[in-house]
Amino acid sequence: AGKDLKLLDKGEPGKIYVAGGDLGRRRDKSTMYVLEVDWPEATIVYYHEENIHKEDPRFWTKVIEHDLDVLDKFHVSKFKCDQTGIGDMPVMEMKRKAAERNLHCVVEGVDFSYALKHKWEGLINQGILKFERFEIHSPLIMKLVVQLRSIRFDPKTKTYEARGPSPDHVMALFLALSAVTQIKHFFGTVSNMAEKSS
């Protein structure tokens, strides 16, 4: 964690941003992380969590509107969202509204209930590798630190397990990391500079 790193409320020109979200269900929170990408480095520049209010009929509308506002303010190129257990309706609604608002953002729902082990494993492995290589930078976010510490490798099952409460912050962050590609999509402009494999 970098003490001098500051969270932002909007993107800066010339920077590339991706995001990840965990829509949450039951007692989880709905979380969102935005990363500024400077391949292979990634810096957390924004995060948000919202308690789930089951009695509020407009809860999902508020979450979707918040996420769309953030995608717009940061000119996010890709947003990967965990929709496990709640189905694809919120993500479909987000895609529809993003198109209505003319946001140039690819919104992708991820469901971990299918091929759970491999998807979860890949996501955790990729995220942990980023931390081990010091390629991810973050201001101090206590909930994220606590949740990262709760992830343990089980040698019997050869899988990572999160002990304790739902790792919603880790999930949103690692989904954002999985949205990072080597294709450059700049704030305000689009320029594909993917390395051509020769």
Side-chain angles (χ1 to χ4, degrees), residues 61-84:
T61 306
K62 288 175 190 167
V63 168
I64 289 168
E65 286 302 322
H66 165 269
D67 289 0
L68 287 167
D69 285 344
V70 172
L71 298 181
D72 192 11
K73 284 177 185 166
F74 283 91
H75 288 240
V76 169
S77 58
K78 189 165 194 180
F79 178 44
K80 288 183 86 168
C81 200
D82 177 14
Q83 62 184 35
T84 312

Side-chain angles (χ1 to χ4, degrees), residues 39-180:
W39 182 265
E41 312 275 313
T43 304
I44 297 170
V45 293
Y46 177 88
Y47 83 100
H48 175 80
E49 73 169 20
E50 181 113 23
N51 285 317
I52 288 187
H53 301 292
K54 286 183 285 230
E55 63 288 345
D56 179 358
R58 286 187 36 81
F59 174 74
W60 284 116
T61 306
K62 288 175 190 167
V63 168
I64 289 168
E65 286 302 322
H66 165 269
D67 289 0
L68 287 167
D69 285 344
V70 172
L71 298 181
D72 192 11
K73 284 177 185 166
F74 283 91
H75 288 240
V76 169
S77 58
K78 189 165 194 180
F79 178 44
K80 288 183 86 168
C81 200
D82 177 14
Q83 62 184 35
T84 312
I86 57 169
D88 59 3
M89 282 310 290
V91 171
M92 295 304 290
E93 181 69 359
M94 216 175 292
K95 286 181 180 182
R96 188 182 67 74
K97 289 195 166 187
E100 264 177 22
R101 286 196 190 194
N102 206 18
L103 300 181
H104 298 287
C105 177
V106 176
V107 177
E108 184 184 320
V110 179
D111 193 330
F112 287 98
S113 53
Y114 303 102
L116 172 73
K117 185 182 167 199
H118 301 299
K119 272 189 191 173
W120 169 252
E121 271 294 280
L123 194 71
I124 298 288
N125 279 328
Q126 181 187 12
I128 287 173
L129 198 59
K130 279 278 198 200
F131 275 100
E132 286 174 352
R133 289 178 177 163
F134 301 104
E135 289 175 355
I136 178 146
H137 313 285
S138 170
L140 183 62
I141 301 167
M142 276 316 294
K143 281 197 176 163
L144 178 61
V145 172
V146 168
Q147 288 184 15
L148 282 166
R149 285 185 179 153
S150 78
I151 293 172
R152 298 275 184 275
F153 184 75
D154 184 335
K156 285 193 198 112
T157 61
K158 296 198 170 24
T159 58
Y160 284 98
E161 293 174 351
R163 309 226 165 116
S166 168
D168 41 19
H169 283 256
V170 170
M171 182 63 75
L173 171 61
F174 285 8
L175 279 167
L177 282 171
S178 73
V180 175

